[in-house]
Amino acid sequence: MEILKTYKLYIGGQFPRTESGRSYAVKSVNGEHIANVCLSSKKDVRNAVQAARKAQLAWAGKSAFNRSQIVYRIAEMLEARKAQFIEELQALGQSKKSAESEVSMSIDRCVYYAGWADKYQSIIGSVNPVASAHFNFSVPEPTGVVGIVACQETALLGLISQLLPVIIGANTAVVLANATKPTCAISFAEVLATADVPGGVVNILTGQPAELLPTLSAHMDVNALSIAPIESKLQKEAQAEAIDNLKRVHIFVEPLYVKKAQGLPYIADFQEIKTTWHPIEQIAGGAGGY
Amino acid sequence: MLTSFSSSDIAASIAKSPTVDQIGILERVARIQTRSFKGASKIQGLKMALSMIDLTTLEGKDTPSKVRQLCYKAQHLHDQAPGLPMVAAVCVYPTMVKEAKKALGNSGIKVASVSTAFPSGQAPFEVKKIDTLYALENGADEIDMVISRGRFLAGDYQFIYDEIAAIKELCTSARLKVIFETGELDSLDQVRKISDLAIVAGADFIKTSTGKIQPAATFPVVLTMLGSIKDHFDRTGQMIGMKPAGGISSSKLALQHLLLVKEVLGEAWLTNEWYRFGASSLANDLLMQYQKQLTGKYQSAAYFSID
């Protein structure tokens, strides 16, 4: 007998069902019924944010090198499940070739961002010249909890392209998966769970952005939003709701599933710069400052 | 004033304590935990819970300034939004009572002092009396005493009775809360026994825990204690207060506790004269949930005071 997978949510390292008990059907391009997935509610958003907040300090407290190892491990786990993802993408209607290329690019992207973990700080950060006897330096710090509305065109690569720069920068994330192609996102959660990513660092919800995004963007404990190209009405609403706690809102205009959509700026989007003034003695008779 | 009991009376009274139906208790608790509050009743419940809080700081590192800060917080928590009630009391060590009394002035917030060698209770009886008197002389309105758990578990009920009765005698105008530290009592039968014993010995309130030991105020323990209060009330018409303390840090738990007391004892207990929460972090969560009810937006701990 064939055992079909129950697609659930990923919150705090666990795979719970939605608290609302609702579900919706995922269909392939030719209308074939692929699976039922959870139709998340506001309360699932709340639970996910809570889990992300709880995990954030410990995640940021890990050494950059350790975060690098963990993200590299995601690549290893993806590699091992390559066939499964290719099959899932094909079920959603992609050609074998395009599915293969999407999974390969996803794995490459993991390795790429793993490499950045202990390097972006010294490139974004700086030592600043000041007019007094102070050593003045600026370093990036994670923004905190980031809400992500994943790419609605691709099922895997877009999500990974948005998520990795966020978590490699020591943030934690609450992801609203692609609404019409959510199966890969949940399978990806299984990858995360086996890749030593601590529970709560990434939380993945399936459901309708129109229903969930307002709650996420109004949530006072979410510090930033990363929004893939979606309906402009929803984007505007999210920007307006984000005002109360001055969320950093980053709306992507360009597609995220292309080869060039990676790099340092994607990490820098979710970093805050902290500048420190450290008093120093006059050095070797020179004027103050560095 | 106090009815005096002889040794055999105490033994007889404890022997009459009914055994607790543990499975029944667990099932009732499980049902309570599936209930949730919405809308207006949630707002009412949040306010009620806030008014029942004994805002607590009981740490070795407490200083007068920490206590002053807590007292400030106690007097200003309700500034957050119009229509919020004040907390019921602050709960501190005897050495901090004077400072708390001074800081709270005539705000109406009471000062509760833990006593009798809190939290272990491992001190000679004379020392416990001095401890209590010290708190009372400094103006404590309420005394939260701990029982000698070791003696209780050893079956020395007379000792426990005498201990509570003696402290009660010192508390002429102060109300006496008796802490059982149920996390050390092992079974619900023991919880029931000590509840019955403390009530007979003169407790005004019975309180679950010190907050120093886990588990603390679990639902089964609280329900067992409420059962004892109810039986006493049905027998004598005398009301006894209840104070769960330790581990109740979320609004959801607090509201379920209120639901439990309402169902077991009735509305008369839904006031801070007869019901208290011993908590330090609950107040902030209540305020966060209250804000959520007002604005419809989930809140962040970053915008609420730490101390």
Side-chain angles (χ1 to χ4, degrees):
Chain A
M1 194 176 74
E2 198 185 358
I3 306 289
L4 295 174
K5 179 157 88 185
T6 310
Y7 288 89
K8 297 191 276 188
L9 306 177
Y10 186 52
I11 299 176
Q14 309 281 315
F15 291 89
R17 290 178 170 81
T18 164
E19 68 76 46
S20 66
R22 304 174 305 173
S23 66
Y24 68 106
V26 178
K27 302 225 159 93
S28 73
V29 270
N30 7 335
E32 223 178 307
H33 185 179
I34 300 174
N36 291 322
V37 298
C38 293
L39 184 59
S40 303
S41 67
K42 286 179 185 183
K43 286 202 174 160
D44 296 315
V45 172
R46 178 198 63 186
N47 295 344
V49 173
Q50 223 165 46
R53 171 58 62 200
K54 207 170 153 205
Q56 203 270 326
L57 270 186
W59 179 237
K62 284 188 182 295
S63 72
F65 180 63
N66 190 211
R67 277 198 299 278
S68 171
Q69 287 175 308
I70 290 171
V71 172
Y72 188 84
R73 179 97 178 138
I74 300 177
E76 290 179 359
M77 293 296 106
L78 260 180
E79 182 76 39
R81 288 171 173 244
K82 216 170 173 176
Q84 181 200 342
F85 280 97
I86 292 172
E87 212 172 277
E88 267 182 349
L89 288 171
Q90 279 180 285
L92 289 165
Q94 254 166 274
S95 74
K96 183 151 193 241
K97 200 175 153 210
S98 108
E100 276 171 356
S101 122
E102 181 166 345
V103 175
S104 301
M105 269 172 80
S106 299
I107 296 170
D108 289 352
R109 209 144 271 187
C110 294
V111 176
Y112 174 81
Y113 278 113
W116 269 115
D118 53 1
K119 299 177 186 69
Y120 71 87
Q121 298 85 344
S122 44
I123 297 182
I124 301 175
S126 59
V127 174
N128 315 311
V130 289
S132 62
H134 288 88
F135 176 44
N136 183 285
F137 56 99
S138 301
V139 288
E141 290 195 340
T143 303
V145 173
V146 180
I148 296 177
V149 181
C151 168
Q152 300 290 306
E153 287 139 87
T154 56
L156 182 65
L157 183 56
L159 161 66
I160 285 185
S161 306
Q162 252 173 304
L163 176 66
L164 292 182
V166 165
I167 62 169
I168 207 71
N171 300 286
T172 53
V174 175
V175 181
L176 308 185
N178 183 332
T180 51
K181 302 172 180 173
T183 44
C184 271
I186 296 303
S187 297
F188 181 61
E190 291 160 12
V191 168
L192 295 170
T194 48
D196 303 334
V197 179
V201 169
V202 181
N203 305 278
I204 301 179
L205 304 176
T206 55
Q208 296 305 324
E211 183 189 359
L212 304 176
L213 183 54
T215 307
L216 190 62
S217 29
H219 199 309
M220 295 292 282
D221 219 11
V222 174
N223 305 109
L225 293 173
S226 161
I227 303 178
I230 50 166
E231 221 184 302
S232 68
K233 185 174 149 269
L234 280 181
Q235 289 178 348
K236 287 217 179 72
E237 261 176 35
Q239 279 176 311
E241 288 284 14
I243 285 172
D244 269 359
N245 69 340
L246 303 175
K247 274 183 200 68
R248 209 170 267 292
V249 182
H250 196 90
I251 294 178
F252 292 96
V253 193
E254 303 288 320
L256 287 143
Y257 46 83
V258 294
K259 196 149 200 178
K260 62 168 191 187
Q262 62 181 23
L264 184 61
Y266 294 89
I267 301 174
D269 281 343
F270 301 100
Q271 296 293 314
E272 307 300 323
I273 301 299
K274 180 174 83 179
T275 294
T276 305
W277 296 68
H278 187 75
I280 50 168
E281 283 180 50
Q282 299 278 333
I283 293 171
Y290 262 58
Chain B
M1 294 286 283
L2 288 158
T3 335
S4 92
F5 279 79
S6 75
S7 203
S8 57
D9 287 335
I10 297 300
S13 144
I14 290 303
K16 271 189 288 180
S17 278
T19 47
V20 176
D21 171 10
Q22 194 197 5
I23 302 296
I25 293 257
L26 292 178
E27 284 185 352
R28 183 157 185 195
V29 162
R31 282 200 299 279
I32 289 283
Q33 285 179 302
T34 61
R35 308 259 295 264
S36 71
F37 292 77
K38 309 277 183 217
S41 60
K42 181 167 185 183
I43 288 189
Q44 193 203 355
L46 292 171
K47 284 184 182 173
M48 187 183 283
L50 187 64
S51 77
M52 290 170 169
I53 285 185
D54 283 2
L55 209 57
T56 299
T57 182
L58 293 170
E59 286 175 21
K61 65 180 180 185
D62 283 350
T63 58
S65 57
K66 168 81 198 287
V67 169
R68 274 199 300 277
Q69 194 165 345
L70 186 82
C71 292
Y72 182 88
K73 179 169 178 167
Q75 293 174 84
H76 294 277
L77 268 180
H78 59 288
D79 296 352
Q80 193 95 23
L84 285 177
M86 277 193 310
V87 297
V90 298
C91 183
V92 294
Y93 271 116
T95 45
M96 298 296 159
V97 168
K98 198 179 222 168
E99 197 62 45
K101 211 54 200 167
K102 200 169 96 195
L104 290 170
N106 52 8
S107 63
I109 297 172
K110 296 196 161 50
V111 175
S113 172
V114 294
S115 134
T116 66
F118 180 95
S120 72
Q122 297 283 19
F125 191 47
E126 289 308 310
V127 174
K128 292 185 180 180
K129 276 196 192 167
I130 295 170
D131 197 21
T132 309
L133 280 173
Y134 183 86
L136 290 168
E137 279 159 13
N138 281 296
D141 304 299
E142 300 171 354
I143 293 291
D144 289 31
M145 71 171 286
V146 291
I147 61 154
S148 303
R149 282 86 78 188
R151 298 294 282 265
F152 173 75
L153 291 173
D156 200 347
Y157 303 135
Q158 182 67 45
F159 180 88
I160 304 297
Y161 176 86
D162 291 344
E163 187 177 61
I164 297 171
I167 299 296
K168 170 71 181 176
E169 231 164 25
L170 299 180
C171 300
T172 42
S173 58
R175 293 179 88 198
L176 178 65
K177 307 189 198 117
V178 179
I179 306 172
F180 303 156
E181 195 63 299
T182 51
E184 292 184 339
L185 298 188
D186 298 331
S187 76
L188 293 181
D189 282 336
Q190 299 283 33
V191 172
R192 174 68 200 216
K193 266 187 203 163
I194 184 61
S195 304
D196 291 349
L197 180 55
I199 290 172
V200 173
D204 296 308
F205 262 85
I206 53 177
K207 173 173 168 184
T208 57
S209 327
T210 61
K212 304 289 182 199
I213 299 242
Q214 291 300 327
T218 62
F219 281 107
V221 157
V222 170
L223 182 51
T224 304
M225 288 166 68
L226 292 175
S228 170
I229 294 175
K230 174 157 174 48
D231 288 348
H232 180 76
F233 180 74
D234 288 346
R235 231 178 4 250
T236 65
Q238 185 199 8
M239 287 172 81
I240 302 291
M242 174 73 200
K243 177 174 173 185
I248 304 172
S249 55
S250 77
S251 302
K252 190 176 170 190
L253 279 175
L255 292 175
Q256 286 170 343
H257 274 288
L258 289 180
L259 181 64
L260 198 60
V261 70
K262 183 178 176 206
E263 287 197 349
V264 177
L265 296 177
E267 298 218 4
W269 266 264
L270 292 181
T271 120
N272 63 16
E273 204 189 339
W274 299 110
Y275 199 85
R276 297 284 177 82
F277 289 109
S280 43
S281 52
L282 174 62
N284 272 10
D285 195 63
L286 289 170
L287 292 177
M288 278 169 67
Q289 296 306 321
Y290 190 72
Q291 278 295 333
K292 157 73 176 60
Q293 289 305 113
L294 294 187
T295 61
K297 293 172 183 177
Y298 289 117
Q299 300 296 307
S300 163
Y303 300 98
F304 293 82
S305 71
I306 296 168
D307 280 322

